[in-house]
Amino acid sequence: MTLFTNIIDIISEHGIAFLKASWMTISITAISLLFAMIIGFIFSSFKISSNKILNRIADLYIGIIRGTPLIVQIMFLYYGIANFVTLSSFTAGALALGIHTGAYIAEIIRGAVQSIDRGQLEAARSLGMPKSLAMRRIIFPQAYKRAIPPLGNQFIISLKDSSLVAYISVTDLYNTALTVQGENFMPFETYFVVGLYYLIIVLIFTFITNKVEKKLDVSKPKEALPA
Amino acid sequence: MIEIRQLSKSFGSLQVLKNIDLTIKQQEVVVLIGSSGSGKSTLLRCLNFLETANGGEIIIDSELINSDKTNLNKVREKVGMVFQHFNLFPHKTVLENIIEAPIYVKREKKEHAILKAQKLLQKVGLRDKANFYPEQLSGGQKQRVAIARALAMEPQVMLFDEPTSALDPELVGEVLQVMKELAREGMTMVIVTHEMGFAKEVADRVIMLADGYIIEENHPNELFSNPQHERTQRFLNQVL
Ligand SMILES: Nc1ncnc2c1ncn2[C@@H]1O[C@H](COP(=O)(O)OP(=O)(O)OP(=O)(O)O)[C@@H](O)[C@H]1O
Ligand SMILES: [Mg+2]
């Protein structure tokens, strides 16, 4: 019973602080994802391109990012390069998360584009469409629908991964939990509460992506209009 | 209309086309036959540069097409292609499929493109399907839309790669009917097909490919009743 009252106590005492921290978690994730999407688009087009040099650049980037831990990337951007450029902890965190997630998003977009039947591009090209036009008008509109489920999944991973920015003293959810726990010495209850906050954010996000997915369902065509 | 000289094409170490010489005249209907893997599709795909030949020359409309220098997109506008698996754009309606390239490639006015598309749909007997999505159509209807889509670019030649092979038998006729109509109107056509009855009726010339060579070509009546090459005889025995 004390467990339960302790949890209630933590929420009533620190609920607002956790809410503010949630906002920090959401904003650093959102900004990093915006950045990651841009990087993802650029590097996926490098990978799809027939230019060997661009392919190599994309492979190098994706290889390095996937081959090193996110925490190392965060530390590197905050402390590692501090002698050359000093970034605020928020900027360094958002940047590191964005660069990290961008590599995975590049692979997701590439996978979605390459899952579109080759015949689609051939049909478009045979009608005289230049490759860029064919990609824009024919391939991407089909590919982005396929990219949404794995992108949603990646966004959730990023939201949870953002907890690592606590180690460069961004006052996000996880950092707040560390502080609260250091004061009350109730790790069970405190981590339980912070877990709950993360879970609720993820559930809300999942609800939204499911709605979007349904709305864009490729397998169900829009109602055919009478001619 | 089309002149092919010493065309060759390899995939890695596999040489699929070996020094093909072929001239296709304006308004001529040429049917390509040959067993699976003989290079029929590859030859067609070289003609609108979906594949790049390794050697030889292709002259279309008295212009030597050099894939480095010529704007291939402009050439492809002149050469329509119909695929075995239709390749309609699934996210676009029938009408949108047809007006896409005229609007975005030829820069036609939308109203004009729509009017033309409606005429083409009338021609292929699908006037009432303009606002349907491809997956709401039967195979035969899809292929007729694909033909209308290619025609909307007002090509000078139409290439067909086994346009009826993916269709249920009862749907083959409606597609062949549209193609016969096109032939009658004087469209220059190169057709890969196993429909020998259709070839006999429509083709001006039938060409037999084997091992990357043209081993025999003749008027269909001649070639079907009196094949010279024993590979042709064997092939015809299998398909007839
Ligand atoms: N992109 C490719 N890469 C490698 N080999 C290929 C490629 N395209 C075709 N080939 C090979 O080239 C040969 C000729 O293929 P092609 O598709 O032109 O034959 P086809 O006469 O059209 O046969 P089918 O009647 O089965 O359609 C085959 O051996 C095929 O495996
Ligand atoms: Mg073929």
Side-chain angles (χ1 to χ4, degrees), chain B residues 11 14 16 35-42 162:
Chain B
F11 293 107
L14 177 72
V16 179
S35 49
S36 182
S38 57
K40 308 179 295 292
S41 298
T42 307
E162 304 201 34

Side-chain angles (χ1 to χ4, degrees), chain B residues 70-82:
Chain B
T70 320
N71 180 352
L72 292 183
N73 296 320
K74 278 271 167 266
V75 178
R76 292 194 187 103
E77 284 181 40
K78 293 189 208 170
V79 183
M81 177 123 181
V82 174

